Amino acid sequence: MRLDRGLFQLIVKNTPLISIDLIVKNNQGKVLLGQRLNQPAKGYWFVPGGRVFKDELLDEAFRRTGREELGLEINIHSAKFVGVYEHFYADNFSGNDFTTHYVVHCYEILVDDQQLLMTLPLEQHDRYQWFDIKDLLVDASVHLYTQNYFISR
């Protein structure tokens, strides 16, 4: 459920958000990243993802995130669970006057990169790129929280 902006600001200011991040790999082992349009992490390369809505089951949130972030129908049961992570940002979606805290469930999926590139939405990321893991780990324009998904693996 989408919330009124003011109510969502109050929630972000006072509670952690639960979200899903997707490590999207192609057959060559490269990872899809999008350059973020919105705060937090605006301007950084980041994995696709989204928050879990109230009363939404994780598998429903996973499918919705796949549709909204990738334009694909994906299933949580065909994904590999990577782990739970915490992300702390000094800013939030509406500015710099309070922080954002995410509790992130990270999953890995394998996709056909030719099919995917034709469906990618541009609401959250203005462009996309496939990265070799060794390259994204040393690229300062890739957000640290995205890099963290690959450091311990």
Side-chain angles (χ1 to χ4, degrees), residues 3 10 18 24 29 33 40 48 53 65 71 73 83 97 112 116-117 121-122 128-129 134-136 138 141 146 148 152:
L3 299 173
L10 186 63
I18 300 170
V24 180
L33 301 181
F53 296 157
T65 300
E73 290 297 324
D97 49 343
D112 176 351
L116 181 64
L117 290 176
L122 298 174
Y128 295 87
Q129 183 175 318
K134 64 178 175 44
D135 295 334
L136 73 80
V138 296
S141 66
T146 289
N148 285 346
S152 62

Side-chain angles (χ1 to χ4, degrees), residues 15-130:
T15 66
L17 301 173
I18 300 170
S19 65
I20 293 174
D21 273 358
L22 301 172
I23 296 172
V24 180
K25 283 189 174 178
N26 66 13
N27 290 330
Q28 293 79 39
K30 291 186 176 186
V31 176
L32 181 73
L33 301 181
Q35 194 166 41
R36 284 191 49 82
L37 288 171
N38 306 310
Q39 292 174 276
K42 182 177 181 176
Y44 283 97
W45 291 99
F46 215 98
V47 296
R51 69 181 177 88
V52 177
F53 296 157
K54 174 136 173 74
D55 296 327
E56 183 178 43
L57 298 173
L58 276 177
D59 62 336
E60 292 170 355
F62 186 90
R63 285 193 306 273
R64 180 184 48 77
T65 300
R67 283 190 304 274
E68 291 178 357
E69 293 281 313
L70 303 172
L72 293 177
E73 290 297 324
I74 57 175
N75 186 311
I76 198 169
H77 302 293
S78 61
K80 175 184 174 190
F81 180 66
V82 175
V84 176
Y85 296 78
E86 287 190 285
H87 296 177
F88 296 92
Y89 298 94
D91 61 354
N92 64 82
F93 76 97
S94 66
N96 297 319
D97 49 343
F98 54 88
T99 63
T100 305
H101 174 194
Y102 283 98
V103 177
V104 183
H105 295 79
C106 184
Y107 294 86
E108 182 178 305
I109 62 171
L110 181 65
V111 299
D112 176 351
D113 54 350
Q114 295 305 313
Q115 174 194 7
L116 181 64
L117 290 176
M118 297 166 44
T119 63
L120 290 169
L122 298 174
E123 288 83 31
Q124 299 295 325
H125 305 95
D126 62 350
R127 59 189 187 138
Y128 295 87
Q129 183 175 318
W130 291 101

